[in-house]
Amino acid sequence: PLLTPDINMEKNGHIIRFSPARLFLIIAASVFLIEAVIMILLPHQPVLSTAAAAVLDTSALVLLLSPVLYFFLFRPLLGHINERRAMEERLQIITENAADAIVCVDDRDEIYVWNKKAHEIFGYTAEEAKGKPFHSLIVPERHREKAAKGLELFFKTGTGPIIGKTLELTALRKDGAEFPVELSIAAMNIRGHWHSTAVIRDVTARKKMEDEL
């Protein structure tokens, strides 16, 4: 795309969609029309030197083009950025206040989302966890080889034996202690690369109650 994906701007309750191609055509047509008007008007002005004519031409172009750029480009673009920022803030609030650990992993198995509950369950702060390999961090060593094979398939196809399922597995805390968790993993295709979101629940208390029954 020339600039960004389609930009939506609300006017009188209606959504106006500005595609990059449309924005480019509007700006190009505006420049052409303004230059045409300037070329028509300049011959009627007092005799000007080449330098003065160039300065006048540039000043008029900037003055007349600025409102066009503001209305058709900067205002909708800023609205789009503010909307995205507000959406990200809402998502962060939801993630941070979730009752379960939420972890997002990219196509290199590196963590980029690690919420407060993940910190409570596993003992790693977000600063410690982000950028680290997910499976090396929380998967017990004896299970890592099997997990690596599943990852290889997932990164190629977005599928795997645990994708879209809820399973009870053993996880590893920062202090080296192993404990039971309930794990659900969803696949996300982001710009042609497979990422995953894991929702993890510590079921230690539940398993203890089951064993006592």
Side-chain angles (χ1 to χ4, degrees), residues 87-103:
M87 188 183 301
E88 289 172 0
E89 289 174 355
R90 288 194 296 268
L91 182 60
Q92 184 175 5
I93 291 171
I94 293 169
T95 301
E96 285 302 309
N97 289 280
D100 297 324
I102 297 178
V103 182

Side-chain angles (χ1 to χ4, degrees), residues 97-136:
N97 289 280
D100 297 324
I102 297 178
V103 182
C104 292
V105 179
D106 65 16
D107 59 336
R108 295 172 296 181
D109 194 35
E110 293 182 358
I111 297 166
Y112 62 91
V113 171
W114 183 268
N115 73 344
K116 184 167 62 176
K117 195 64 178 181
H119 176 198
E120 293 177 12
I121 291 176
F122 294 102
Y124 296 98
T125 65
E127 290 74 21
E128 291 174 317
K130 287 180 179 179
K132 299 291 194 309
F134 174 67
H135 287 79
S136 298

Side-chain angles (χ1 to χ4, degrees), residues 29-166:
S30 300
V31 171
F32 175 80
L33 290 173
I34 291 170
E35 277 294 325
V37 171
I38 292 172
M39 290 300 101
I40 292 171
L41 294 177
L42 274 179
H44 300 285
Q45 302 303 314
V47 178
L48 299 173
S49 66
T50 303
V55 170
L56 181 60
D57 180 25
T58 303
S59 300
L61 180 61
V62 170
L63 183 64
L64 296 174
L65 187 58
S66 294
V68 176
L69 289 173
Y70 171 75
F71 182 78
F72 288 105
L73 178 60
F74 296 122
R75 192 167 76 167
L77 188 57
L78 285 173
H80 177 71
I81 292 171
N82 290 334
E83 182 181 345
R84 288 288 298 272
R85 187 175 296 160
M87 188 183 301
E88 289 172 0
E89 289 174 355
R90 288 194 296 268
L91 182 60
Q92 184 175 5
I93 291 171
I94 293 169
T95 301
E96 285 302 309
N97 289 280
D100 297 324
I102 297 178
V103 182
C104 292
V105 179
D106 65 16
D107 59 336
R108 295 172 296 181
D109 194 35
E110 293 182 358
I111 297 166
Y112 62 91
V113 171
W114 183 268
N115 73 344
K116 184 167 62 176
K117 195 64 178 181
H119 176 198
E120 293 177 12
I121 291 176
F122 294 102
Y124 296 98
T125 65
E127 290 74 21
E128 291 174 317
K130 287 180 179 179
K132 299 291 194 309
F134 174 67
H135 287 79
S136 298
L137 200 68
I138 72 164
V139 175
E141 190 171 355
R142 65 183 181 279
H143 297 312
R144 288 175 191 170
E145 185 177 350
K146 183 178 179 181
K149 292 179 180 178
L151 273 178
E152 186 176 351
L153 174 65
F154 173 75
F155 290 147
K156 290 179 180 178
T157 65
T159 62
I162 66 172
I163 302 301
K165 299 177 182 178
T166 299

